[in-house]
Amino acid sequence: MVKFSKELEAQLIPEWKEKFVDYKQLKKHVKKIKLSPAPTSAADDGEAAAAADDDDDDHLLHHHRRYYDYGFSILDPIRAIVHRFSSSSRRRDYPSQTDEENLYDMELVQSRDKEVKEFMEILDKELGKVNEFYTAQESECCKRGEDLIKQLQILADIKRILHEYRRRQHSHRHWPSSLGSPATPGSAGSLLSGLSSPASPPESGGETDQQSQGECVTPMAEEVMAALERNGVSFIGSPRGKAKKGMKPKMASMRIDIPATTPGRTISAVTSQITMIWEDIINGSRKDGSNGGDYITRKKIQHAEKMIRSAFVELYRALGLLKTYSSLNMKAFTKIVKKFEKVSNQRQAADTFLRKVKRSHFISSDKVVKLEDEVEAIFTEKFTDKDRKKAMKFLKPQQPKDSHMITFFVGLFTGSFVTLFSVYAILAHFCGIFSSSTETGYVEIVYPVFSMFALLSLHIFLYGCNIFMWKCTRINHNFIFDFNSRTALKHRDAFLICASFMTTVVGALVIHLFLKSAHVSDHVDAIPGALLVVFVGLLFCPFNILYRSTRYCFLRVIRNIVFSPFYKVLMVDFFMADQLTSQIPLLRHIEFTACYFMAGGFRTHPIETCTRNQHYKLLAYVISFLPYYWRAMQCARRYQNKTMKWA
């Protein structure tokens, strides 16, 4: 049976570890109460007095038996007097001994009461800490829910406005010219006549069409702004001016005023990005031109909808974590109070505290449960067309079960790698690869090419060790790097990739050396090239096999690093760029391999082409400098973003 302390350590949320009940510290206090000495009772004092009286009676009984057995002695009166005086003095000393024992018992009682009082004070402090944190998180989740519902309402309003605008444009294109424009202000076909400018007298045909198109664009932006204002969004620098006669309306760009206190890091980022989308939509629709409606694209709307959906999933996850927090703390309080009751025999105090815990806010409040049900209902209706089973796949994704086949293949490939490496070492020894008489091109050419694969494999292996240590120390690296927990690479997967990678590389080394020593083919040096082509093909393979999500994530991160000034810098980009600064030998080997293949070295073995050429040496310096340049560009991009944010 697993102890509750280990169960609590395994189930608690790492980010909230300090906010949970300090169960270990409370167990130490309970043990302290248990080890404190218990005071002696009054019955023990009575037994001691009775024992003293029994000693006197035994002495008298012994005296009478001696008289009947041996007769009267002349020294008996003296013995009787001495015995009487000694017993009376012993009885006079007994009250002082009893007082000392009573004083000691009182000190023990006071000491035990002090320990119990200190334990109850710590319990109250822990209960207050849990209540305070739960209340803060509950109010934050409620505020998140309100903000997301507003964003969802804004999305629905903008979809409706976009649909009406496109329908109006479609009717305007197909409206007969003899009947006039249906979108002119004041006409029956205008859906936004209340927000448009006052009607002006009809002018020439070209000017009328241009004015109609300009007025068709501006009211849509006005209606979008009105929809945002209805949901509590305020604006900065939004002049709703009118254009002069005969001139195109000049519209200034505007920004949405975001409150300074937006709860939660995730919801704050999502809200900011959605707000930027609304700004783009409004500023785009306020621009001049006949194709003003094209600025509101379906891509932007879909992007906003996807972000709101992910924010709802994140909110649902936060509510689930809050429920877990409540249940674990309740169980911890119940366990520790039962231990305290068993040790101290204070049943009344234990029951009173448990009733206090059950009346606490983190147990009695039902706001989290109601909000969870509401989020589930909204998500099912708005994002999955009332398909609850599909909604649960987003809200409660099933974690893939760990398969023992991965462990089996890790062991299989590791054993194969060790065996093949031993075979290669023996074969190289018999072929005299490392002797002075051997062809120098083998070591200078083949080893750098294969070292590239070996360094990649070593990097993957060390990354797997990192994942394993993060898991042991309960570091949520998926949350830090913004990985999907369902498809993120686990440490056993990393070890499997590393073992299979090295088995393939060493196997190619054995085949290459065997064919080269036997002089079987003239194209034996093409084996490393074939191996490189296979690995590059697997890296870019579009089929959903061999960890496609991880491969594409790696390619995306490398793209962000290479073009770091032009892409938003995330934590995983920082991490990978730091790794590249330590992989200069790997980059040099990649450079040599590329030069070797492009120079046709497998046929003529021109070592001088890729080792002594001045252009090659210059390129080597550039490649060695590139990781530090990319890292500096990332820092510059982050600094620019923070400067713009502060401004």
Side-chain angles (χ1 to χ4, degrees):
M1 184 177 179
V2 182
K3 292 184 178 180
F4 177 72
S5 57
K6 294 183 179 180
E7 180 183 351
L8 179 64
E9 187 72 20
Q11 294 185 11
L12 61 80
I13 303 156
E15 293 82 1
W16 298 348
K17 185 176 181 179
E18 300 298 328
K19 304 300 181 181
F20 274 83
V21 177
D22 196 351
Y23 189 77
K24 290 185 178 180
Q25 188 66 23
L26 291 175
K27 277 184 67 177
K28 290 181 181 179
H29 280 278
V30 170
K31 189 175 181 180
K32 198 174 179 181
I33 295 173
K34 181 180 180 180
L35 296 177
S36 61
T40 57
S41 60
D44 297 334
D45 298 339
E47 291 177 359
D53 293 338
D54 291 341
D55 290 341
D56 295 339
D57 295 339
D58 291 341
H59 183 77
L60 292 174
L61 180 61
H62 175 72
H63 174 72
H64 287 295
R65 285 180 178 176
R66 184 179 178 185
Y67 173 77
Y68 287 110
D69 292 340
Y70 303 103
F72 180 76
S73 174
I74 192 171
L75 298 176
D76 285 343
I78 298 174
R79 293 193 184 99
I81 294 172
V82 172
H83 176 72
R84 182 171 295 178
F85 278 105
S86 63
S87 61
S88 62
S89 63
R90 186 166 64 247
R91 284 169 180 166
R92 282 196 303 268
D93 294 339
Y94 179 73
S96 62
Q97 297 175 0
T98 305
D99 294 340
E100 292 178 358
E101 292 176 356
N102 290 335
L103 181 61
Y104 176 71
D105 291 343
M106 290 177 63
E107 291 178 354
L108 291 179
V109 169
Q110 291 177 358
S111 175
R112 194 177 182 87
D113 289 342
K114 183 180 179 181
E115 297 290 343
V116 171
K117 185 179 179 181
E118 183 180 357
F119 176 77
M120 297 304 296
E121 289 177 354
I122 295 175
L123 270 182
D124 289 333
K125 184 179 178 181
E126 293 293 322
L127 180 60
K129 178 183 72 174
V130 171
N131 260 329
E132 181 181 357
F133 179 76
Y134 184 87
T135 304
Q137 291 294 321
E138 184 185 60
S139 60
E140 181 178 334
C141 287
C142 293
K143 185 65 170 62
R144 289 186 187 186
E146 293 175 1
D147 291 344
L148 287 179
I149 290 174
K150 287 181 181 179
Q151 296 287 351
L152 191 62
Q153 184 62 39
I154 291 173
L155 179 65
D157 291 343
I158 292 180
K159 278 185 175 181
R160 177 183 56 82
I161 294 170
L162 179 62
H163 176 71
E164 292 178 354
Y165 178 80
R166 287 176 176 170
R167 184 170 58 86
R168 188 175 65 224
Q169 274 195 336
H170 180 74
S171 62
H172 179 74
R173 292 193 191 99
H174 296 83
W175 193 266
S177 59
S178 59
L179 298 178
S181 175
T184 53
S187 63
S190 177
L191 296 172
L192 306 172
S193 57
L195 296 173
S196 58
S197 304
S200 58
E203 299 181 6
S204 61
E207 294 180 356
T208 303
D209 293 339
Q210 184 178 2
Q211 181 183 2
S212 173
Q213 290 169 357
E215 290 176 351
C216 183
V217 174
T218 304
M220 186 189 63
E222 298 291 337
E223 186 168 351
V224 171
M225 293 172 65
L228 292 172
E229 287 175 346
R230 283 196 301 269
N231 290 276
V233 178
S234 57
F235 302 94
I236 299 175
S238 58
R240 300 191 184 186
K242 302 175 185 178
K244 292 183 180 181
K245 184 177 179 181
M247 296 179 62
K248 295 180 179 180
K250 183 179 180 181
M251 298 298 178
S253 62
M254 50 145 294
R255 291 191 299 114
I256 296 177
D257 185 14
I258 305 175
T261 56
T262 49
R265 182 178 65 179
T266 304
I267 191 63
S268 176
V270 171
T271 304
S272 300
Q273 295 181 23
I274 295 175
T275 303
M276 291 174 62
I277 295 175
W278 302 153
E279 290 176 1
D280 292 340
I281 289 175
I282 295 174
N283 292 327
S285 63
R286 291 168 66 91
K287 292 181 180 179
D288 55 350
S290 59
N291 295 325
D294 294 338
Y295 289 98
I296 303 180
T297 60
R298 293 182 181 271
K299 186 176 180 180
K300 290 182 179 179
I301 298 296
Q302 290 174 357
H303 183 54
E305 185 175 1
K306 183 179 179 180
M307 294 182 66
I308 294 175
R309 183 184 66 185
S310 64
F312 268 104
V313 173
E314 189 68 25
L315 175 60
Y316 192 84
R317 177 180 175 272
L319 294 172
L321 293 178
L322 204 55
K323 288 174 63 178
T324 304
Y325 176 82
S326 174
S327 61
L328 284 178
N329 280 294
M330 180 62 196
K331 192 173 182 180
F333 278 123
T334 304
K335 291 281 186 181
I336 201 65
V337 168
K338 285 184 177 180
K339 289 180 180 292
F340 166 73
E341 179 186 349
K342 183 179 180 181
V343 168
S344 63
N345 295 324
Q346 296 194 13
R347 185 186 184 91
Q348 184 177 359
D351 293 342
T352 303
F353 184 80
L354 282 180
R355 286 195 296 269
K356 182 179 179 181
V357 172
K358 291 178 181 178
R359 290 194 302 267
S360 299
H361 183 76
F362 79 98
I363 295 297
S364 59
S365 178
D366 59 346
K367 290 183 180 180
V368 172
V369 178
K370 290 182 179 179
L371 183 58
E372 189 178 33
D373 295 338
E374 184 179 0
V375 169
E376 184 178 328
I378 292 174
F379 192 90
T380 304
E381 180 181 358
K382 300 295 183 181
F383 297 105
T384 58
D385 296 330
K386 299 182 180 180
D387 188 353
R388 190 177 183 278
K389 186 176 180 180
K390 185 178 179 181
M392 287 298 103
K393 290 182 179 179
F394 287 97
L395 297 176
K396 293 182 179 180
Q398 297 292 331
Q399 295 293 336
K401 296 181 179 180
D402 294 334
S403 175
H404 294 290
M405 291 297 294
I406 296 179
T407 307
F408 169 75
F409 280 114
V410 168
L412 177 64
F413 283 119
T414 302
S416 302
F417 161 69
V418 173
T419 304
L420 289 172
F421 187 79
S422 302
V423 170
Y424 175 77
I426 296 172
L427 189 60
H429 175 71
F430 284 115
C431 293
I433 293 299
F434 304 106
S435 63
S436 58
S437 60
T438 311
E439 183 184 359
T440 58
Y442 183 84
V443 177
E444 282 82 356
I445 296 175
V446 174
Y447 275 9
V449 174
F450 281 102
S451 295
M452 177 185 65
F453 302 112
L455 287 173
L456 282 173
S457 179
L458 177 63
H459 192 97
I460 297 172
F461 173 76
L462 294 178
Y463 179 68
C465 294
N466 278 339
I467 298 176
F468 178 74
M469 294 306 299
W470 291 335
K471 180 181 178 182
C472 293
T473 53
R474 298 185 60 79
I475 296 176
N476 192 356
H477 68 282
N478 291 330
F479 176 77
I480 296 173
F481 292 143
D482 198 18
F483 289 160
N484 188 350
S485 58
R486 292 180 296 174
T487 58
L489 205 66
K490 298 179 176 60
H491 66 278
R492 295 195 302 170
D493 299 322
F495 293 152
L496 176 61
I497 295 173
C498 170
S500 58
F501 205 85
M502 283 307 299
T503 301
T504 307
V505 170
V506 178
L509 267 174
V510 171
I511 296 173
H512 177 268
L513 182 59
F514 180 78
L515 295 178
K516 190 175 183 64
S517 61
H519 302 286
V520 175
S521 175
D522 295 334
H523 301 285
V524 65
D525 288 335
I527 292 178
L531 187 64
L532 180 62
V533 170
V534 170
F535 283 154
V536 172
L538 289 177
L539 182 62
F540 290 93
C541 179
F543 301 108
N544 192 12
I545 56 174
L546 300 176
Y547 305 103
R548 184 181 67 174
S549 59
T550 302
R551 290 187 283 110
Y552 280 15
C553 179
F554 173 75
L555 293 174
R556 185 169 59 251
V557 170
I558 294 298
R559 179 205 63 185
N560 294 347
I561 293 174
V562 174
F563 302 99
S564 52
F566 309 106
Y567 285 94
K568 182 180 179 181
V569 182
L570 303 177
M571 180 62 190
V572 65
D573 302 331
F574 272 131
F575 180 79
M576 191 62 195
D578 284 335
Q579 301 300 312
L580 287 180
T581 56
S582 303
Q583 291 288 351
I584 302 298
L586 172 62
L587 298 178
R588 295 288 300 273
H589 288 322
I590 293 176
E591 177 200 9
F592 179 82
T593 303
C595 174
Y596 193 65
F597 282 116
M598 289 188 295
F602 282 109
R603 186 175 58 186
T604 59
H605 302 287
I607 303 176
E608 293 80 6
T609 304
C610 297
T611 55
R612 301 175 184 176
N613 190 282
Q614 292 297 326
H615 296 289
Y616 177 83
K617 291 182 179 180
L618 180 62
L619 184 61
Y621 286 118
V622 173
I623 289 178
S624 301
F625 175 73
L626 276 178
Y628 302 99
Y629 169 77
W630 293 332
R631 191 68 181 85
M633 290 299 100
Q634 286 182 339
C635 295
R637 175 61 186 262
R638 292 288 296 176
Y639 176 77
Q640 181 187 9
N641 291 342
K642 288 187 177 181
T643 305
M644 293 177 61
K645 183 178 180 181
W646 292 338

